[in-house]
């Protein structure tokens, strides 16, 4: 590290102060690399929004400096924003084989596959990208082929863990690269950016094999069909289902689009070992005896249109769940989904199925390390500076406390917001100025064309509906030619509220006539008059505040 | 029990297959009694709905037979529907002193207090109500003065537990009436209706005193202000806060409307022991040294308008939270509220407060008994028949399993839906036919005037907004006199989407001109034509499906 005027900036553009849309930029002089390009699912109040991605204005402004996009793993909160990024910034994308396999499908959908350079990496690679040298290292997580990155910069080594746990007995036997981490740690690490998801959770996260034991027990006891729902990307768990199916002489049918896709990609790339003849078509489920069937399904979050939800409601085209079947929901609810999963469980019980779920038995383990694993990472890496990432504020804070407990100086821990720059120069770090950053809402094909005003209107519309008041005036004389007509949607049952709406009409008519007689002829005044009179009346009568949209036509 | 043609019907009108709006009717010949009249908070998809109450059509049809309303305790899911019930059916309401105290305020708001007969009961009473004799017995729960009822019927004794846990060391020292339950059990109980909320939870629910220990520890360590948020009705917990405040020389200020109300009622009725001078006005908070302050607050569910949420956002008029203050959130999230609480916690951490919450320390215990307590109830009562209540389907099912484990015959367990009748005649039970039952939605002043169509419209409006298309036609000639005008709300940012909306206007104009030229003059055809053309165009361009409302005016 020679003294100079250049500095290293680490800029999280997503994933801090929130769970989701992970993206971090590493900047040094004229070189930038980006780690991950995730999406986030909308909050409840973002009505009608499909997905949320980071604002990449800063990267677009500096697009000529960007030397590469490095992806840690194939979860949506790390790759889901990639197409939107690549539409603006065409740089090589580095990732492991499975990760790129999952990205390919996504880029194909967006017509970006042919124009994007995808470069497969392993933990043997040292990728030069401008001044940076990036070395992937293997981690354990709830999707195979996950890596973190060691980023060699002119200021020193930065370790970016990506999502991780330490699974000492991983299903695919691919251990985490403890030795590489230890070696970097011994050499000296400038900064660690580490996954904070489970920083509030004491102890160790269990090995994925624990779920395998529950799966085995359940398969041993089940007398009829087994339906197992889990995350489509948790191929370790899916592997354990196939292994159990083979052991207990069952065939596996796969339902749900993302489950089918992921299993196809994983089998093709060799990430899933399936014995010949084990996989059957869903059409065959009804032709085989129930004790020979496993159905692997999406819907472990109770998603409305998922295969499991449709099976539970008896609206799935191919697979029906019957009394005596065993349903395993191998997941824990993502915050916000609790009610949907509960409903699915209830429907399954009503059918007469035997339901195995997280609240009553161990059918899920987290993919993120708990406090002891986070401390192990800190002990291996021994960073001088620490930036907790991948977590809401309280998780980052808790993680910083853990770091201090393992010996990092309190003042060397940076709890940051998106857009913050942590700047390293001559071995010392400080907070820099903010770069443009934020949240971009995607609704259908629209990227960023829905914002606060639109969302506020949707919220208003969703609560009490809308009343449209239309009236046609004579341009020449200012008299009412037609109307006022009142049309409502989402307000009241029109048929049962005729009296209310008739009265509303009388009030609008009277207001209009009065204003016309008084020669009020500015449209805005007329509209305000209508809105005020109607709004007051409706609130008195119903205690509701529907949106009121007065429209004046002139002929 | 003499042989005769009459029978006892037990009819849950709410609270089974769901959590909330508890209500159960007991019917024998010409006599009916009702236990509880609760409300339920709306599901996410019930947009704009304020509360949900049971459909009481059956009770209204039989109102002359109803001899009384018996209330187990003062929680909203047991008393919140009472005003709506009493508006149709004026019968005496029986409850304990605190329960009636809480009901009074509610009835006053609805102008029902003067016309309703409120009768205070204790566990010494045997209330005659037609053929029924009702004896209250004391329970433990997260609100004081909770009772269950022993209902003596011509077919035998039915025990209706209400919400309960067995707290062997209750804060108010009022033990559950084990001996009464044991005595009825020894005599022979026909049926038990028991609380299923925690039937999935193994072991025992901890005593409320456990929370007192955490409160004490926190008070001992806190160096500045303490802000504690909990359920306003959990007066046991509130008592422990006052006791700790006195012990550690702190004054208590109360913020949040329901907290102020409940504490006033409880102090007035003697359910809360507060030393003179302990209670201070919120205005005084800033005048006293921080180490002498406790603020008791609502908002333990992260509710948007609550005192805690406002304090966390620094928008509370009187109390500010400062760095170094200790905030205790003494609750666990009700399913669906997880995100709101997390946000509040994050905001508090950002302020620099020390936040104590359930995920990291024991500041909450449930008010409902876990599996061992449910089995203790079953062992004490030894019912012949068992009807699990107060729970979603899976909880009822689990509870029935527990009952069978304690010796109830499998075929004597009835898992019922609302409106189901369990009929008892000559000591034998069977499922009868269904009575009218369901869900009534309340939006503002409207009771039942919002239903599926209105909700479907609100959902549609909330997702992609609305476009109103207005055109004025000449009645005589069928030509376009004015418009088409397109007004959108909740669809796109109008300013940034001018081109899209201009193009939409051209498409509607062209469609209209074509139809007018083709002499299409039925309004419905014109409207369908406009809607189809515009909908297709917008979906192609945006992949959104806003509601489209064509309005044709004729002059």
């Amino acid at each position: 590290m020679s003294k100079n005027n250049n500095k290293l900036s680490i800029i999280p553009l997503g994933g801090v102060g929130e769970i989701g849309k992970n993206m971090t930029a590493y900047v040094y002089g004229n070189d930038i690399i980006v780690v991950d390009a995730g999406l986030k699912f909308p909050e409840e109040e973002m009505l009608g929004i499909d997905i949320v991605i980071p604002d990449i204005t800063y990267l677009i402004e500096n697009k000529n400096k960007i030397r590469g996009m490095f992806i840690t793993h194939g979860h949506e909160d790390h790759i889901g924003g990639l197409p939107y990024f690549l539409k603006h910034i065409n740089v090589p994308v580095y990732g492991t084989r499975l990760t790129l396999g999952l990205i390919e499908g996504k880029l194909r959908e967006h017509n970006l596959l042919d124009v994007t350079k995808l470069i497969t990496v392993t933990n043997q690679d040292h990728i030069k990208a401008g001044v940076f040298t990036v070395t992937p290292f293997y981690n354990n997580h709830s999707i195979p082929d996950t890596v973190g990155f060691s980023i060699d910069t002119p200021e020193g080594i930065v370790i970016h863990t990506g999502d991780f746990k330490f699974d000492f007995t991983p299903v695919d036997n691919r251990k985490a690269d403890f030795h590489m981490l230890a070696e970097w740690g011994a050499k000296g690490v400038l900064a660690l950016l580490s996954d904070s998801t489970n920083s509030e959770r004491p102890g160790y996260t269990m090995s994925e094999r624990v779920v395998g034991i529950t799966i085995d027990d359940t398969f041993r006891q089940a007398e009829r069909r087994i339906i197992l729902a889990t995350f489509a990307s948790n191929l370790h768990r899916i592997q354990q289902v196939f292994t159990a199916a083979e052991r207990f002489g069952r065939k596996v049918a796969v339902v749900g689009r993302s489950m089918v896709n992921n299993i196809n990609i994983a089998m093709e790339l060799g990430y899933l070992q399936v014995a010949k003849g084990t996989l059957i078509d869903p059409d065959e489920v009804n032709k085989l005896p129930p004790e020979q069937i496993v159905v692997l399904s999406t819907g472990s979050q109770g998603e409305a249109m998922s295969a499991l939800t449709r099976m539970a409601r008896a609206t799935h085209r191919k697979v029906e769940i019957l009394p005596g079947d065993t349903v395993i929901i191998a997941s824990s609810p993502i915050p916000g989904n609790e009610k949907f999963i509960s409903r699915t469980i209830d429907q399954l019980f009503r059918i007469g199925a035997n339901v195995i779920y997280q609240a009553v038995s161990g059918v899920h383990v987290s993919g993120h390390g708990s406090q002891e694993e986070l401390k192990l990472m800190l002990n291996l890496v021994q960073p001088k500076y620490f930036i907790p990432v991948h977590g809401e504020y309280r998780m980052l804070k808790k993680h910083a406390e853990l770091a201090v407990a393992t010996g990092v100086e309190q003042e060397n821990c940076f709890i940051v917001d998106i857009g913050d720059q942590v700047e390293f120069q001559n071995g010392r770090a400080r907070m820099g100025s903010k770069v443009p950053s934020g949240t971009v809402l995607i609704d259908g094909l629209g990227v960023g064309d829905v914002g606060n005003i639109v969302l506020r209107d949707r919220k208003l519309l969703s609560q009490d509906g809308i009343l449209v008041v239309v009236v046609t005036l004579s341009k020449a004389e200012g008299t009412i030619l037609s109307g006022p007509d009142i049309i409502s949607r989402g307000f009241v049952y029109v048929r049962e509220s005729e009296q209310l709406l008739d009265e509303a009409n009388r009030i609008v008519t009277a207001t209009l006539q009065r204003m016309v007689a008084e020669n009020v002829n500015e449209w805005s005044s007329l509209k305000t008059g209508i809105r005020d009179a109607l709004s007051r009346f409706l609130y008195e009568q119903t205690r509701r505040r529907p949106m009121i949209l007065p429209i004046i036509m002139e002929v």
Side-chain angles (χ1 to χ4, degrees), chain A:
Chain A
M1 276 181 281
S2 62
K3 293 233 172 199
N4 65 39
N5 288 325
N6 267 334
K7 62 188 183 219
L8 169 70
S9 281
I10 302 181
I11 312 173
L13 292 169
V16 291
E18 63 183 347
I19 293 276
K21 68 178 174 69
N22 296 284
M23 177 179 265
T24 311
Y26 290 83
V27 186
Y28 189 93
N30 281 316
D31 296 308
I32 298 178
I33 58 172
V34 185
V35 177
D36 288 336
L39 63 72
K40 188 171 149 178
F41 293 101
E43 311 278 323
E44 267 122 284
E45 64 271 22
M46 297 178 181
L47 293 167
I49 298 301
D50 299 321
I51 62 171
V52 178
I53 57 171
D55 180 340
I56 56 168
T57 303
Y58 171 78
L59 296 178
I60 293 172
E61 284 170 359
N62 292 281
K63 63 196 285 186
N64 295 327
K65 299 184 182 172
I66 303 178
R67 310 291 166 228
M69 167 62 77
F70 293 79
I71 304 288
T72 57
H73 64 287
H75 278 153
E76 288 296 336
D77 57 335
H78 294 258
I79 66 170
L82 196 52
Y84 305 94
F85 172 90
L86 291 173
K87 270 174 203 165
H88 296 283
I89 301 165
N90 186 358
V91 294
V93 177
Y94 299 89
T96 57
R97 220 153 59 87
L98 179 65
T99 303
L100 294 186
L102 293 166
I103 286 173
E104 271 184 21
K106 202 171 277 293
L107 298 189
R108 196 174 295 120
E109 272 176 41
H110 284 83
N111 295 317
L112 285 163
L113 189 55
D114 297 338
V115 298
T116 307
K117 198 167 165 191
L118 297 177
I119 300 167
T120 306
V121 299
T122 74
N123 65 347
Q124 299 304 308
D125 291 313
H126 306 285
I127 304 127
K128 288 263 172 215
V131 294
F132 302 104
T133 303
V134 181
T135 306
F137 61 90
Y138 291 147
N139 267 342
N140 307 117
H141 189 42
S142 45
I143 183 171
D145 230 6
T146 299
V147 294
F149 297 113
S150 161
I151 303 169
D152 205 347
T153 81
E155 281 289 324
I157 292 174
V158 180
I159 304 287
H160 186 114
T161 68
D163 295 10
F164 79 98
K165 65 194 281 189
F166 285 120
D167 191 333
F168 299 130
T169 56
V171 170
D172 61 2
N173 291 317
R174 205 191 73 180
K175 305 274 170 63
D177 279 325
F178 299 101
H179 308 87
M180 293 168 75
L181 289 166
E183 206 181 306
W184 290 314
K187 230 199 267 183
V189 166
L190 177 69
L192 170 68
L193 280 75
S194 183
D195 172 6
S196 311
T197 314
N198 276 345
S199 66
E200 296 174 293
R201 204 182 283 187
Y204 268 92
T205 300
M206 290 289 102
S207 169
E208 176 64 29
R209 289 208 192 255
V210 169
V211 179
I213 294 170
T214 312
I215 291 175
D216 264 27
D217 285 351
T218 311
F219 273 58
R220 192 169 294 118
Q221 287 165 34
E223 290 172 0
R224 301 183 60 82
R225 286 178 188 169
I226 294 169
I227 296 92
L228 186 141
T230 193
F231 301 103
S233 63
N234 197 327
L235 293 159
H236 301 307
R237 195 161 297 166
I238 291 166
Q239 177 67 68
Q240 298 196 100
V241 174
F242 276 103
T243 307
E246 286 158 29
R247 189 174 303 142
F248 293 96
R250 287 177 183 256
K251 308 287 182 189
V252 180
V254 181
V255 296
R257 201 171 68 103
S258 62
M259 189 63 89
V260 171
N261 281 350
N262 282 11
I263 287 179
N264 283 343
I265 293 170
M267 284 178 66
E268 208 171 286
L269 299 180
Y271 287 87
L272 204 54
Q273 313 309 323
V274 179
K276 264 215 164 61
T278 298
L279 204 58
I280 59 168
D281 194 272
D283 287 322
E284 292 181 65
V285 165
N286 293 320
K287 297 176 193 156
L288 288 169
E291 69 275 13
Q292 289 177 22
I293 294 291
V294 177
V295 178
L296 240 175
S297 169
T298 51
S300 65
Q301 292 295 313
E303 304 93 325
M305 300 306 296
S306 67
L308 182 65
T309 305
R310 282 182 285 137
M311 289 189 278
R313 290 192 186 143
T315 59
H316 194 274
R317 275 186 315 119
K318 298 195 170 168
V319 184
E320 200 181 357
I321 296 176
L322 301 170
D325 286 350
T326 299
V327 182
I328 308 174
I329 301 179
S331 70
S332 71
I334 294 170
N337 292 346
E338 293 82 358
K339 283 199 171 182
F340 304 116
I341 302 184
S342 295
R343 270 186 222 171
T344 300
I345 294 171
D346 281 342
Q347 277 158 334
L348 292 167
F349 270 123
R350 281 177 193 271
I351 294 173
N354 173 27
V355 192
I356 316 287
Y357 55 106
Q358 184 61 7
V360 297
S361 56
V363 283
H364 178 71
V365 298
S366 174
H368 301 271
S370 299
Q371 291 178 353
E372 296 308 309
E373 289 153 279
L374 301 182
K375 288 191 241 169
L376 175 52
M377 179 63 85
L378 282 154
N379 272 281
L380 287 170
V381 171
Q382 306 179 79
K384 181 169 175 191
Y385 293 99
F386 180 62
I387 307 176
V389 294
H390 205 285
E392 295 177 7
Y393 188 85
R394 65 189 183 284
M395 303 168 187
L396 306 181
K397 185 142 186 358
K398 193 68 186 169
H399 201 176
E401 283 173 24
L402 299 177
V404 170
T406 66
V408 179
E409 299 289 338
Q410 174 81 62
E411 62 272 24
N412 289 0
C413 293
F414 288 86
I415 299 181
V416 292
D417 264 323
I418 56 171
D420 279 340
Q421 297 195 64
V422 186
E423 296 177 349
F424 298 83
Q425 195 166 29
N426 303 318
R428 301 193 59 80
R430 62 179 192 93
M431 288 295 287
S433 56
K434 252 186 178 321
V435 307
S437 63
T439 284
V440 174
L441 308 180
I442 299 184
D443 180 3
L445 295 182
V447 178
D449 67 342
V450 171
N452 287 336
I453 299 174
V454 175
L455 289 180
R456 200 198 51 201
D457 281 351
R458 287 184 186 173
K459 174 77 184 171
L460 214 61
L461 290 166
S462 77
Q463 291 304 296
D464 290 325
I466 187 169
L467 276 90
V468 182
V469 183
V470 202
V471 62
T472 308
L473 298 182
S474 150
K475 209 180 294 186
E477 298 147 51
T479 54
I480 300 171
L481 295 178
S482 173
D485 285 1
I486 298 182
I487 300 104
S488 83
R489 288 289 184 278
F491 173 55
V492 288
Y493 264 146
V494 174
R495 212 170 288 175
E496 292 176 14
S497 310
E498 273 178 21
Q499 214 183 329
L500 177 76
L501 294 173
D502 285 352
E503 181 65 16
N505 203 307
R506 268 192 293 279
I507 283 168
V508 172
T509 307
T511 307
L512 258 172
Q513 283 170 340
R514 184 176 49 71
M515 287 193 294
V516 167
E518 289 167 2
N519 279 317
V520 178
N521 45 23
E522 271 178 31
W523 281 21
S524 62
S525 308
L526 287 173
K527 285 181 181 178
T528 306
I530 294 172
R531 196 181 282 122
D532 289 352
L534 189 52
S535 177
R536 197 165 42 239
F537 168 72
L538 292 176
Y539 185 73
E540 271 165 19
Q541 295 292 312
T542 67
R543 289 285 181 283
R544 297 180 203 168
R545 297 194 182 283
M547 184 184 280
I548 293 173
L549 192 60
I551 302 176
I552 298 171
M553 305 289 283
E554 262 184 351
V555 296

